[in-house]
Amino acid sequence: AQKVTQAQTEISVVEKEDVTLDCVYETRDTTYYLFWYKQPPSGELVFLIRRNSFDEQNEISGRYSWNFQKSTSSFNFTITASQVVDSAVYFCALRWNTGFQKLVFGTGTRLLVSP
Amino acid sequence: DAGITQSPRHKVTETGTPVTLRCHQTENHRYMYWYRQDPGHGLRLIHYSYGVKDTDKGEVSDGYSVSRSKTEDFLLTLESATSSQTSVYFCAISESTENEKLFFGSGTQLSVL
């Protein structure tokens, strides 16, 4: 079965702290894609990153970085020096190769960054 | 920002009444999706469309139907709304069936009393 687990329901940090959001996935496919989406208080989900299963290279984009480890089936997301504008719900999602463009989402992690 | 408009943004209705939600896109993307978002469940796919008049069921399709008569419009209908269908509904679009990212609308908050 295809599944995404985001065990952290809510995380609270103070501005400038680093924070890591965990994502663990399950799939039997050897080819699959992982995504992170951000849902700010306005409600609209915004795409952050996509990785395919053949590319385990970590990625950094400004204060955001992603750590993909197939050995532990994890795709964790780290925000460095968090800011209040990072407050949002973050969703990890999985698309497997044998399915149509259908994503299975995790239940999301709510990040609260206080000043 | 992707041109996706959902209407209405908020709706309150009574159990047993029919409800139609509309998604309109200006991107000319082939693929359109309806998701619902509920606490503890993340987002779950209701129905999707891969072209005009081509639709299929997602994982939580019971009680819902869809129609797509034009590329730009994807309608979601609750034939007889139930309280369990109280949710936030999101429309999404994508350009291809490959590992494309989805673009989401702003959502429709539906309350069934």
Side-chain angles (χ1 to χ4, degrees):
Chain A
Q2 329 289 347
K3 185 180 178 182
V4 174
T5 301
Q6 294 181 257
Q8 303 152 308
T9 304
E10 185 169 308
I11 301 174
S12 294
V13 299
V14 177
E15 213 170 15
K16 297 185 182 179
E17 284 187 25
D18 299 346
V19 59
T20 295
L21 310 181
D22 297 334
C23 172
V24 174
Y25 62 92
E26 296 177 28
T27 179
R28 293 177 181 173
D29 281 27
T30 56
T31 301
Y32 52 89
Y33 306 90
L34 296 163
F35 301 77
W36 275 95
Y37 284 84
K38 174 182 180 180
Q39 185 178 38
S42 60
E44 183 174 330
L45 282 87
V46 177
F47 168 85
L48 294 178
I49 190 172
R50 174 187 63 231
R51 304 295 286 178
N52 71 58
S53 53
F54 297 107
D55 184 1
E56 287 193 73
Q57 186 174 8
N58 293 329
E59 183 157 338
I60 299 174
S61 176
R63 297 184 296 106
Y64 294 172
S65 62
W66 290 269
N67 180 257
F68 177 27
Q69 291 195 331
K70 291 177 72 172
S71 61
T72 56
S73 297
S74 64
F75 186 44
N76 296 337
F77 173 30
T78 297
I79 302 175
T80 303
S82 60
Q83 299 177 1
V84 172
V85 294
D86 295 326
S87 296
V89 179
Y90 292 86
F91 290 96
C92 182
L94 165 71
R95 174 186 177 259
W96 57 100
N97 201 42
T98 52
F100 181 70
Q101 169 59 293
K102 293 184 286 187
L103 297 182
V104 59
F105 284 83
T107 52
T109 297
R110 181 177 300 277
L111 174 65
L112 301 174
V113 182
S114 55
Chain B
D1 291 344
I4 307 170
T5 304
Q6 289 186 233
S7 59
R9 290 296 311 278
H10 303 272
K11 186 170 182 66
V12 180
T13 191
E14 294 185 348
T15 299
T17 60
V19 176
T20 296
L21 308 183
R22 181 183 184 235
C23 178
H24 178 79
Q25 60 142 331
T26 58
E27 305 297 321
N28 201 34
H29 282 2
R30 180 179 175 186
Y31 303 95
M32 300 186 75
Y33 313 81
W34 278 106
Y35 284 87
R36 60 179 288 176
Q37 182 179 14
D38 304 288
H41 290 278
L43 280 86
R44 293 178 293 175
L45 181 67
I46 305 171
H47 281 280
Y48 60 94
S49 170
Y50 45 96
V52 174
K53 297 186 179 179
D54 292 323
T55 64
D56 206 347
K57 297 178 180 180
E59 61 180 307
V60 290
S61 60
D62 288 348
Y64 302 95
S65 62
V66 292
S67 66
R68 190 160 177 209
S69 59
K70 296 184 292 184
T71 298
E72 58 266 35
D73 290 326
F74 193 31
L75 304 180
L76 176 69
T77 297
L78 291 65
E79 301 293 344
S80 178
T82 67
S83 58
S84 64
Q85 294 175 312
T86 292
S87 186
V88 180
Y89 291 85
F90 285 96
C91 175
I93 64 174
S94 67
E95 195 169 8
S96 73
T97 58
E98 301 300 322
N99 53 347
E100 276 292 315
K101 60 186 178 182
L102 298 181
F103 297 96
F104 284 85
S106 300
T108 294
Q109 172 70 59
L110 175 66
S111 297
V112 183
L113 306 179

